[in-house]
Amino acid sequence: MCGIVGYIGSRSAADVLIQGLKHLEYRGYDSAGIALFIKNQIVIEKSEGRLGNIEKIFRDKRVPLYSSCGIGHTRWATHGKPTTKNAHPHKTGHVVLVHNGIIENYLEIKKELILKGHTPQSETDSELFGFLVLDEMELGASLVTAVRRSFSKLLGQCSVVVMSEREPEKIVGVRNGSPLVVVRDPEGGVVIASDAQPLLPFSREVIFLEHGDLVIATHEGMQVIELESGLEVERKPLSLEWSIEQMDKGGFPHYMLKEIYEQPGVITHTLNQILDRNQKNPFSLFPQPGVNLLNQAQELCLVACGTSWHAALLGKYWIERWSGIPVNVELASEFRYRDPVVRSGTLVIGVSQSGETADTLAVLREMRVRRVPTLGVSNVRGSSIAREADAVFFTSAGPEVGVAATKTFMAQILVMLVFAGYLGFKQKKKSNLEIAQLFNELVKIPHLLSQELEEGSEMLKQIRVTVQNLSHSKGFFFIGRGYSYPLALEGALKLKEIAYDYAEGYAAGELKHGPIAMIDQGMVVVVLAPRDSWRDKTVSNLEEVKARGAMIVGIGDSDDYDLKNLCDDWIPLPSENRSIDAGLLSFILAPVVQLFSYYRAVQKGTDVDKPRNLAKSVTVE
Ligand code: M6R
């Protein structure tokens, strides 16, 4: 989604804004722009396409544009095409703004503005806010008052950052839903952004503005007031653990590949952060409000989108098996609009790596109104879901820059398994010995993952060979049963996201209920069939597609020769996997489907880390 950076201080604002926007590129965008105060006038440079276009504009200027105050934006088009005209910042008279989110009543506002004689230049909802501010200032209001009054006319969740030539060297930002974070630059000045990553080079003491906060940044410092009352409020900084080094590719050609390779460490860190190892239950969680919520839950409802939904689905399988507690898994975008029945005793858990996904957040808010307890599972401290749920468990995956979720998925499924073990011990559905065995198996996973990812492993070699053979495939089905089914869905999603291949994930048993009609020689069926209790049934389904001429790629145990013989291409899981419970093979399958998509995307030459049309955190419906 859109990214915002604002800076006022003693450094070159153009440099800070461009570097800051680069940190936000991962969020997805289609145009970019910056606005700088130069001798009390605001100069704007913007362009469709990549940020590099803006850098070029600056390079091409003979005289460097020196400025100590400005705002920048990367736009992910919602209202109006991704053109230079629709790119932010928008200038209306002396008012300049950038915006993230949606103004829901923009049509009414637009009609009123046109009746007043204004002529919007772009197709965006964002630009309209500038006219509102301009009109208020023409009536004599200060910039802050004009922004406050104008904001009260908006419906929807959004944040804006505004400057005016009438009040030079001042930035005013409002957070209303979409995040806005602020740090003090130790060299003097203030940096504002739509997420914490551009701020890390300046300070790790980050202030996450609250919903309904307005920040005023000047060379003297910053002040936060409540949008509605205008009263000053104190907002304490949160100390972020993430370091700027983690934002680096670390020698890998893409962030996505680096993040896939970070997965063993993600498991270890997340376990260390949430498990209290001094208790009888090996899955004991460190005391925190979320533990009480889990203890009281008679039923769970997991709500999520995309990859997080796949993690939640796997969570359902594990939690029900180990604890006997009923679990529903819901797509947030559907759940929120269908008058769902939520029985008393239900704990609603929002699973979201970013903690900002609009639909998931909306469900948690709705549940709060209904007095249903809510829990968040998020990778981002200070995120909206982390702050608005009754309690939160954090995954410790570190910053994920690649748009396609990989290591955060790994961390989410880990938390799901920990919930299963924790609740299983508590519910006594399984013996303590079985729970202890599950834990002993789980702690082997980081080591097994490291071996799996080692250069030279048979798995890696075969993924690369398989991808070479795929060049003319017209579409893919990923199939699996049981714990492999959510992984099949995830494999297909990854391939769609980064390689732009037509791909479907299916429960293997469902193929013959319709999709098998699509199977012919141009289709590839990727079958996930590790040695578990579902393997034989999956192999029968495979026979059905083989009979119809599809190319078959098998992913299974290295010594499963029967399966291997049925397949055209074969990706063996590392033989060391035999030492873990079949119920945990999802952890080992995840990197296989991720790398399969990664190498396919590299083969096709797509933009792996910033795939087209996608955003890292989806802050609009
Ligand atoms: O931040 P979230 O986990 O809530 O995001 C949910 C989805 O938007 C996200 O998983 C999306 O599907 C990713 N692009 C997956 O790679």
Side-chain angles (χ1 to χ4, degrees), residues 262-274:
E262 284 173 346
Q263 294 183 108
V266 164
I267 295 203
T268 314
H269 292 146
T270 303
L271 285 178
N272 287 343
Q273 292 295 317
I274 60 175

Side-chain angles (χ1 to χ4, degrees), residues 304-310 351-358 360 377 385 400 402-406 408 412 490 493-494 497 614-618:
C305 304
T307 289
S308 298
W309 188 84
H310 299 155
V351 185
S352 169
Q353 69 78 20
S354 64
E356 300 296 348
T357 298
T360 311
V377 175
I385 286 176
E400 188 174 67
V403 164
T406 51
T408 53
Q412 287 170 337
E490 180 58 7
L493 178 65
K494 286 281 96 72
E497 282 190 295
L614 296 185
K616 184 68 183 167
S617 55
V618 183

Side-chain angles (χ1 to χ4, degrees), residues 380-491:
V380 182
R381 280 163 212 274
S383 63
S384 301
I385 286 176
R387 288 135 53 91
E388 294 192 31
D390 295 325
V392 60
F393 281 95
F394 288 109
T395 51
S396 299
E400 188 174 67
V401 179
V403 164
T406 51
K407 62 176 179 172
T408 53
F409 173 75
M410 184 65 85
Q412 287 170 337
I413 67 173
L414 175 69
V415 169
M416 295 297 124
L417 190 84
V418 168
F419 285 175
Y422 175 77
L423 294 169
F425 188 90
K426 192 177 149 282
Q427 297 294 111
K428 306 214 172 307
K429 182 173 182 243
K430 303 273 180 186
S431 70
N432 289 359
L433 184 67
E434 285 171 296
I435 299 278
Q437 270 168 359
L438 177 68
F439 184 79
N440 292 340
E441 304 276 297
L442 175 63
V443 292
K444 291 181 196 162
I445 300 283
H447 177 64
L448 291 175
L449 280 177
S450 302
Q451 283 183 327
E452 180 182 24
L453 292 169
E454 236 165 52
E455 195 49 55
S457 80
E458 196 55 21
M459 181 220 43
L460 272 180
K461 197 175 111 198
Q462 283 306 120
I463 289 178
R464 290 173 185 143
V465 169
T466 303
V467 167
Q468 292 286 319
N469 297 337
L470 292 177
S471 31
H472 300 299
S473 316
K474 68 176 185 198
F476 293 76
F477 276 93
F478 283 70
I479 61 168
R481 280 176 180 249
Y483 303 136
S484 298
Y485 167 48
L487 267 300
L489 294 177
E490 180 58 7

Side-chain angles (χ1 to χ4, degrees), residues 592-606:
V592 182
V593 295
Q594 293 163 351
L595 285 166
F596 183 86
S597 302
Y598 173 78
Y599 285 113
R600 173 73 170 162
V602 170
Q603 178 193 54
K604 291 180 78 175
T606 61

Side-chain angles (χ1 to χ4, degrees), residues 280-308:
K280 199 164 149 221
N281 176 357
F283 287 97
S284 272
L285 296 155
F286 278 122
Q288 63 120 305
V291 179
N292 299 336
L293 294 178
L294 283 173
N295 288 342
Q296 287 155 14
Q298 291 151 26
E299 192 169 319
L300 301 180
C301 175
L302 302 175
V303 183
C305 304
T307 289
S308 298

